[in-house]
């Protein structure tokens, strides 16, 4: 399923010239975001599934966390493409690296303040990502510890 979505995202690149540049960016970001979100879902589904806690499950949990950050970064880029000026930035580039940076700063609730969401959609997404960033480690640790305790009985 992930491969199908990823292939569709690549295929959409060939249609970039049929759409306006703005539409092409929105379609591309939406397809990338969907691919990353689907991959994150599959990885996290396997991490939280029953079974033995081992290094693969731990590495999957870390990968899932990083995929969540990349998914949010793509969503922020999409929001900025749909609602130009949704974020106030004190940085000049405004490229994908800025959204990755902002996403992980938000996910970890560091909040340096050099990129600020000002549109209601952008603010709502930042709140949701910060909540995920706080809840993910707590839920993950609780789940993995409970699995390990149940297996050792």
């Amino acid at each position: 399923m992930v491969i199908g979505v990823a292939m569709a995202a690549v295929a959409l690149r060939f249609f970039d010239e049929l759409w306006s540049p703005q539409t092409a960016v929105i379609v591309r970001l939406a397809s990338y975001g969907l691919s990353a979100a689907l991959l994150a879902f599959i990885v996290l589904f396997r991490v939280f599934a029953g079974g033995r806690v081992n290094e693969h499950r731990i590495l999957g949990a870390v990968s899932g966390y990083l995929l969540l950050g990349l998914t949010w970064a793509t969503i922020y880029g999409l929001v900025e493409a749909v609602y130009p000026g949704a974020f106030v930035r004190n940085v000049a580039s405004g490229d994908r690296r800025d959204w990755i940076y902002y996403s992980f700063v938000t996910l970890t609730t560091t909040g340096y303040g050099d990129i600020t969401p000002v549109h209601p959609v952008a603010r709502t997404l930042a709140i949701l990502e910060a909540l995920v960033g706080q809840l993910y480690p707590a839920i993950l640790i609780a789940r993995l510890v409970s699995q390990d305790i149940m297996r050792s009985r």
Side-chain angles (χ1 to χ4, degrees):
M1 182 179 229
V2 171
I3 293 172
V5 172
M7 288 175 55
V10 170
L12 287 171
R13 292 290 298 233
F14 292 108
F15 295 107
D16 277 359
E17 288 146 19
L18 299 177
W19 297 315
S20 70
Q22 177 75 9
T23 303
V25 167
I26 290 170
V27 169
R28 189 177 326 120
L29 287 171
S31 64
Y32 291 165
L34 181 61
S35 298
L38 186 57
L39 185 57
F41 175 78
I42 291 170
V43 168
L44 293 176
F45 182 79
R46 298 288 298 158
V47 166
F48 285 103
R52 190 169 64 91
V53 177
N54 57 21
E55 66 274 2
H56 298 292
R57 192 171 300 263
I58 302 299
L59 290 174
V62 172
S63 297
Y65 188 78
L66 296 174
L67 282 167
L68 286 173
L70 292 175
T71 300
W72 284 103
T74 305
I75 292 169
Y76 292 134
L78 182 61
V79 168
E80 182 65 24
V82 172
Y83 304 107
F87 296 87
V88 173
R89 295 183 293 238
N90 296 334
V91 290
S93 66
D95 63 6
R96 181 160 172 77
R97 290 174 294 182
D98 290 339
W99 299 125
I100 293 170
Y101 161 79
Y102 177 70
S103 175
F104 282 100
V105 165
T106 304
L107 190 64
T108 60
T109 64
T110 305
Y112 293 124
D114 50 349
I115 300 174
T116 306
V118 292
H119 191 279
V121 171
R123 287 181 172 199
T124 301
L125 290 171
I127 290 168
L128 289 174
E129 185 181 18
L131 287 172
V132 168
Q134 291 294 305
L135 294 175
Y136 180 84
I139 293 169
L140 175 72
I141 291 169
R143 175 70 176 159
L144 294 179
V145 167
S146 68
Q147 279 181 315
D148 198 43
I149 289 171
M150 296 304 277
R151 299 267 311 154
S152 64
R153 287 185 176 183

